[in-house]
Amino acid sequence: MDTITPRHTRVFVDGGWLLLAAAAALTRAPSVSREDIRLDPPRMVAALAGKAQDLTGRPVSRIHWYDGARQDKDPTPEHRALAATVGVDLTLGALRRHDGVWQQKRVDGLIQRDMTHLARTGQTLDFVLVSGDEDLAVAAEEVRALGGTVHALGVTETGRWAMSPYFASSCNDVHLLTSGDLAGSLWVRGARLTSLANSGIARVLAAS
């Protein structure tokens, strides 16, 4: 008798986008420095996996986390912790300094490459894409053209980190993480408490 492999979900995370969007939602500040954000990888991964399974009704087989990294430095403690988290594949692009600001490079292309490969080979048909970046709209469109389903998962409907309308329209449907989804998974150094923080989205570290 042939064995039927159950359909499953894979989660693709634009890590830099997620952390900055969640921190901005917490602090209500116009900008938050990445250096001030602290992540609890197991809690965040568990939150994303639980949300993804709720959205698709199918088990999550893997979480693919993408982020930028400086090529002249060893991996950060955050990246090492993510790489060691069960169920996570970490892929690092580059960080390059432009006008005094570190910018993430190649991450969107890596996400697009891996999602379309899995859809083309039939290894995965249900995708949850955690981002709101317009540059990932093409990835969502390609996966859908290959027969896959892409659920967009963002953080906020307003402000700088709101989901791009083009990105949203390129996915099958759009959902938002709530404060309850992210409780205890994120810290922002020196942040002022807001109503969102009081709902449990994160703990706040005192400024050093």
Side-chain angles (χ1 to χ4, degrees):
M1 180 183 295
D2 293 336
T3 300
I4 299 175
T5 302
R7 187 163 168 172
H8 58 267
T9 299
R10 293 203 193 211
V11 181
F12 282 73
V13 183
D14 181 350
W17 187 93
L18 170 61
L19 297 189
L20 289 169
L26 163 68
T27 62
R28 308 279 178 89
S31 64
V32 177
S33 171
R34 177 69 184 267
E35 289 74 21
D36 290 333
I37 301 172
R38 299 293 181 269
L39 175 68
D40 184 323
R43 283 198 175 192
M44 178 65 80
V45 166
L48 294 176
K51 186 73 170 183
Q53 185 161 334
D54 288 345
L55 295 181
T56 66
R58 304 179 190 279
V60 173
S61 63
R62 209 75 183 158
I63 291 182
H64 301 265
W65 191 290
Y66 298 78
D67 204 356
R70 289 180 58 175
Q71 307 300 294
D72 60 337
K73 298 280 188 179
D74 291 333
T76 65
E78 177 183 285
H79 288 155
R80 290 197 295 270
L82 280 164
T85 302
V86 175
V88 174
D89 285 340
L90 175 66
T91 302
L92 297 176
L95 277 179
R96 293 177 184 159
R97 202 168 184 84
H98 180 71
D99 292 337
V101 178
W102 288 101
Q103 295 181 348
Q104 185 171 274
K105 300 294 182 182
R106 294 183 56 241
V107 168
D108 296 338
L110 291 168
I111 293 174
Q112 181 177 345
R113 177 200 69 184
D114 294 344
M115 287 181 65
T116 53
H117 170 73
L118 289 169
R120 185 176 292 111
T121 58
Q123 296 179 58
T124 302
L125 292 175
D126 285 303
F127 297 83
V128 174
L129 181 51
V130 185
S131 186
D133 189 342
E134 182 172 299
D135 291 340
L136 284 170
V138 174
E141 290 171 344
E142 287 192 6
V143 167
R144 293 183 66 186
L146 292 165
T149 299
V150 182
H151 307 273
L153 186 55
V155 175
T156 177
E157 293 180 288
T158 60
R160 177 183 175 187
W161 296 101
M163 191 174 290
S164 154
Y166 175 34
F167 172 78
S169 66
S170 299
C171 299
N172 291 85
D173 46 48
V174 174
H175 306 271
L176 295 177
L177 290 159
T178 67
S179 57
D181 294 326
L182 296 174
S185 64
L186 189 72
W187 294 258
V188 180
R189 188 185 304 276
R192 296 181 60 188
L193 288 173
T194 67
S195 58
L196 188 59
N198 291 329
S199 299
I201 191 174
R203 287 180 285 171
V204 178
L205 296 179
S208 59

